[in-house]
Amino acid sequence: MNAWDEIIALRIAVAGLLDDLSPGEWDTPSLCAGWTVRDVAAHLTLQQLGFRDLGLLLKDRQRDMDGMIREMAKRRARDWSPERIRADIRETAHRRKRNPGVTPIETLTDLLVHGQDIAIPLSRSFPMPVEAATVATQRCLTMRMPPPLPASKALRGLRLVATDVDWAHGDGPELRGPIGVLLLTACGRMVRSSLLSGDGLAVLRPRAGR
């Protein structure tokens, strides 16, 4: 798999998804807690900021990186029209540029997960390529830098087994499901938990607040 080819295809797919949204759909709560569809879409325009951009913003706001990213996304969602947001995503789709401190796999994961954050609440479809989702899930469960997502800690002590691709990770009670659902679960999205099975599900539910 070529990560950049997948990133480009997913950016174009996000722009296509946004093309058809009504004004009300832009304001729909996404799967990303506290963010609307518009906030998530605006966040995806921030994937190509450089060291200078981030350095100036951190110095100006004197806050943590996650807080800065949330603020930037919400501010851009307020300041940019839906037309400008989707045009920016489409026009910059082929740029092989990423934020400092992350690999292309994090950029890929961002698109896979945030695409579903937008699509699922709107009952829309968005691609979740199996190979890309497998690479992203493995990365979420094994990365040390950037720090692992807090949600992935809920999967510790479980053996994740994909039902649609030859992939498994970890030891313990089994949690089985499609690789795309396992990726969403690793990123704290339990919205597709009805597609999960195995003894590990009973372990996961209280950890995930379900």
Side-chain angles (χ1 to χ4, degrees):
M1 183 201 76
N2 183 296
W4 280 113
D5 288 347
E6 295 289 344
I7 288 167
I8 291 166
L10 286 166
R11 285 173 175 165
I12 293 170
V14 167
L17 173 63
L18 298 176
D19 280 340
D20 295 331
L21 301 191
S22 68
E25 287 176 312
W26 280 88
D27 293 328
T28 299
S30 75
L31 295 185
C32 194
W35 285 22
T36 64
V37 164
R38 186 167 179 160
D39 294 333
V40 175
H43 168 71
L44 291 175
T45 70
L46 302 173
Q47 286 194 330
Q48 302 173 47
L49 297 179
F51 277 108
R52 183 175 182 276
D53 300 315
L54 293 175
L56 288 173
L57 288 163
L58 279 172
K59 180 179 179 181
D60 181 46
R61 284 160 181 78
Q62 296 183 346
R63 64 178 61 196
D64 65 281
M65 182 69 73
D66 287 342
M68 181 201 71
I69 290 171
R70 286 193 297 271
E71 180 182 328
M72 288 179 65
K74 284 186 169 289
R75 185 176 65 182
R76 182 156 290 187
R78 290 193 303 268
D79 294 346
W80 284 22
S81 68
E83 292 76 17
R84 185 177 179 184
I85 290 171
R86 64 180 178 237
D88 183 85
I89 293 172
R90 180 174 280 117
E91 290 167 7
T92 62
H94 289 81
R95 290 185 189 169
R96 300 192 175 211
K97 184 179 178 182
R98 52 189 166 81
N99 297 140
V102 302
T103 73
I105 302 304
E106 280 79 67
T107 303
L108 174 64
T109 304
D110 215 35
L111 286 158
L112 288 168
V113 175
H114 285 317
Q116 301 301 326
D117 285 340
I118 293 170
I120 291 174
L122 300 177
S123 299
R124 304 290 185 108
S125 61
F126 185 78
M128 181 70 87
V130 169
E131 187 176 7
T134 302
V135 171
T137 306
Q138 184 71 27
R139 177 64 173 157
C140 285
L141 296 172
T142 59
M143 68 182 182
R144 294 294 177 266
M145 187 57 65
L149 296 171
S152 68
K153 296 177 182 178
L155 298 173
R156 289 177 180 172
L158 300 179
R159 178 170 175 78
L160 277 62
V161 180
T163 55
D164 54 347
V165 65
D166 184 15
W167 178 88
H169 175 85
D171 295 296
E174 283 195 0
L175 182 68
R176 296 186 295 273
I179 190 65
V181 176
L182 294 176
L183 173 59
L184 291 177
T185 303
C187 294
R189 279 72 166 173
M190 289 288 289
V191 67
R192 296 293 198 217
S193 61
S194 63
L195 299 177
L196 298 173
S197 63
D199 294 341
L201 185 56
V203 178
L204 174 63
R205 286 190 185 280
R207 293 180 181 179
R210 291 298 183 103

